[in-house]
Amino acid sequence: MNTEETTLDKIRTRPRFKMFTDLTKEEYAENLKKYLSEHKDEFSGNINKEIATICVETPNDNYWKPRLALRIETEDEKTAVLGVFGPSSAVWTFFMFLYFMFSILWMVFFSMYYVEKQINSNDFPWALTASFIMLALIALTYAAARFGQHKGKDEMLKLRRFAEESTLHFEKTDD
């Protein structure tokens, strides 16, 4: 199979893939464990017959350290491997919480400003300033995420190579 990086891969925060194999869940997990043990100086992870999490071994860890999460399922009597590249779920959840919180606060403060202008009141003179601060915090959160992605780019490439080398030769072809 020919794999290539598309523009969509470059802009997605958590790129995904899906493949089918003729191996059973147990056989695929055993082959993944074997591949991981052969490359234990470069990768670490936890593997069972349904879920695998792979990390790149590095001397320093940053907050956006990428991981490869593989979920092994059975679909229509075939084994499906679903993969997601991205940071740990705790980091991902934290960033989504920040986006959500700052967005809601922006809407609240902007609504306060708008209503104040509509009723010709001066009860909340700080509302417009607060809404701009929320926009700045959203931009800072985005910048922090992009910076983390940039710092983890080499690790992402290694994880992509791991995914390709450990899974593609087991992929089912429709010949």
Side-chain angles (χ1 to χ4, degrees):
M1 176 181 186
N2 182 21
T3 60
E4 56 188 53
E5 187 172 0
T6 64
T7 302
L8 190 58
D9 290 333
K10 292 178 185 175
I11 62 174
R12 287 189 69 172
T13 307
R14 298 181 70 186
R16 303 167 191 284
F17 68 89
K18 182 177 184 177
M19 64 167 245
F20 293 92
T21 181
D22 289 325
L23 300 175
T24 65
K25 289 171 142 183
E26 293 80 11
E27 292 171 334
Y28 181 77
E30 286 304 314
N31 285 326
L32 205 56
K33 286 179 186 177
K34 181 180 173 201
Y35 186 88
L36 186 62
S37 67
E38 292 170 359
H39 297 89
K40 65 182 174 211
D41 56 329
E42 190 176 4
F43 301 102
S44 65
N46 295 323
I47 301 169
N48 65 37
K49 69 177 187 172
E50 294 183 1
I51 297 173
T53 304
I54 311 298
C55 300
V56 177
E57 288 292 318
T58 57
N60 56 353
D61 288 341
N62 63 37
Y63 63 93
W64 201 276
K65 181 178 174 119
R67 288 165 171 64
L68 170 60
L70 298 170
R71 195 170 72 225
I72 308 162
E73 299 177 346
T74 303
E75 288 183 15
D76 300 327
E77 299 179 18
K78 293 182 255 176
T79 301
V81 179
L82 296 97
V84 178
F85 297 96
S88 72
S89 58
V91 170
W92 178 254
T93 304
F94 176 68
F95 272 81
M96 289 302 106
F97 170 75
L98 289 178
Y99 283 128
F100 178 76
M101 184 180 67
F102 294 147
S103 298
I104 294 296
L105 287 173
W106 173 78
M107 287 187 280
V108 167
F109 293 142
F110 192 78
S111 295
M112 289 169 66
Y113 165 76
Y114 184 74
V115 169
E116 180 186 52
K117 290 301 170 197
Q118 292 299 312
I119 63 173
N120 294 323
S121 170
N122 199 18
D123 293 335
F124 306 105
W126 48 266
L128 184 61
T129 304
S131 71
F132 285 128
I133 290 171
M134 291 304 114
L135 289 176
L137 289 173
I138 291 170
L140 283 173
T141 303
Y142 178 78
R146 294 300 291 184
F147 180 71
Q149 288 174 5
H150 177 71
K151 283 190 70 151
K153 185 166 178 65
D154 291 337
E155 294 172 21
M156 280 289 281
L157 294 173
K158 288 179 182 178
L159 285 172
R160 183 179 176 120
R161 182 178 50 84
F162 179 92
E164 291 171 353
E165 291 176 1
S166 68
T167 59
L168 287 182
H169 58 281
F170 297 118
E171 185 171 18
K172 180 179 179 137
T173 57
D174 293 329
D175 295 339

